[in-house]
Amino acid sequence: MSMYITVFLRIMLLLSLAVMVFDYLRVEQLYIQMDRGFIDGFEVFITRWPGFIFIIIVILFVIINTIQFILVRKNKHSILNAFLAVEYDVSDERAVQITHKAVSNAFVFILVYSFFIVGSYMFIPNYFVDYIWYPLFTTVSIPVVGLLTYLISFKVLQHK
């Protein structure tokens, strides 16, 4: 269950950061459009909820990691160094092999996925001015897809 929480928090952290960056890039986009004469003026409205979500998730992440650290430290049979990789399940003796296979699967999927995502940028002409959301959110989707691939691979391999 802690792996689901950890992956979910990391995904939410990435998404909230992307939305905060999107607001900044949107203002830059409007300045460029105004400079080029596409628009006469604009109003700026920065949403605050992504920042609040980001702060809440960071606090939750720290609290959960502290609790996990205390639980791992109490277990005399666990390897404390294994705690550095939060996805590593110290209660399962096959965890090293499962983690290795799951990381390999996620890495391969990230390489293939990122090749197509970055390659798709050439089909969007002048994407910074017109389609600012596309490169930002597709780039953020790369680690999100990697985390989900890792989670699914780990859980499938763990139940074999």
Side-chain angles (χ1 to χ4, degrees):
M1 184 64 167
S2 66
M3 189 178 301
Y4 290 114
I5 293 170
T6 302
V7 169
F8 175 73
L9 287 176
R10 286 183 181 184
I11 289 171
M12 291 303 296
L13 196 65
L14 287 166
L15 292 178
S16 62
L17 184 62
V19 172
M20 286 191 306
V21 171
F22 176 74
D23 279 342
Y24 171 76
L25 290 178
R26 179 75 178 129
V27 172
E28 290 291 321
Q29 176 190 30
L30 291 171
Y31 274 120
I32 290 172
Q33 288 176 341
M34 190 172 72
D35 188 45
R36 292 182 181 178
F38 295 131
I39 58 175
D40 294 327
F42 63 90
E43 292 182 19
V44 175
F45 178 73
I46 305 293
T47 56
R48 295 182 187 176
W49 63 267
F52 292 132
I53 289 175
F54 184 81
I55 291 169
I56 290 168
I57 291 171
V58 167
I59 291 169
L60 283 173
F61 203 64
V62 168
I63 290 170
I64 289 173
N65 280 339
T66 304
I67 292 170
Q68 282 182 324
F69 179 74
I70 292 168
L71 293 175
V72 168
R73 193 162 187 176
K74 284 183 179 181
N75 186 354
K76 302 295 181 195
H77 300 291
S78 63
I79 303 168
L80 195 57
N81 292 339
F83 176 74
L84 295 176
V86 179
E87 294 81 12
Y88 184 81
D89 187 7
V90 293
S91 64
D92 190 356
E93 62 275 354
R94 303 173 304 144
V96 173
Q97 295 164 346
I98 293 172
T99 302
H100 175 69
K101 288 179 185 176
V103 167
S104 296
N105 292 342
F107 186 69
V108 167
F109 198 81
I110 285 173
L111 286 177
V112 171
Y113 182 74
S114 61
F115 177 77
F116 287 110
I117 288 298
V118 173
S120 72
Y121 292 169
M122 69 181 159
F123 295 111
I124 306 220
N126 208 6
Y127 65 83
F128 185 75
V129 175
D130 298 326
Y131 304 102
I132 194 169
W133 55 269
Y134 184 77
L136 175 68
F137 290 111
T138 54
T139 303
V140 167
S141 74
I142 294 170
V144 168
V145 166
L147 284 166
L148 290 174
T149 303
Y150 174 80
L151 177 66
I152 292 167
S153 296
F154 190 90
K155 289 301 178 179
V156 167
L157 292 169
Q158 191 178 34
H159 293 295
K160 278 189 174 183

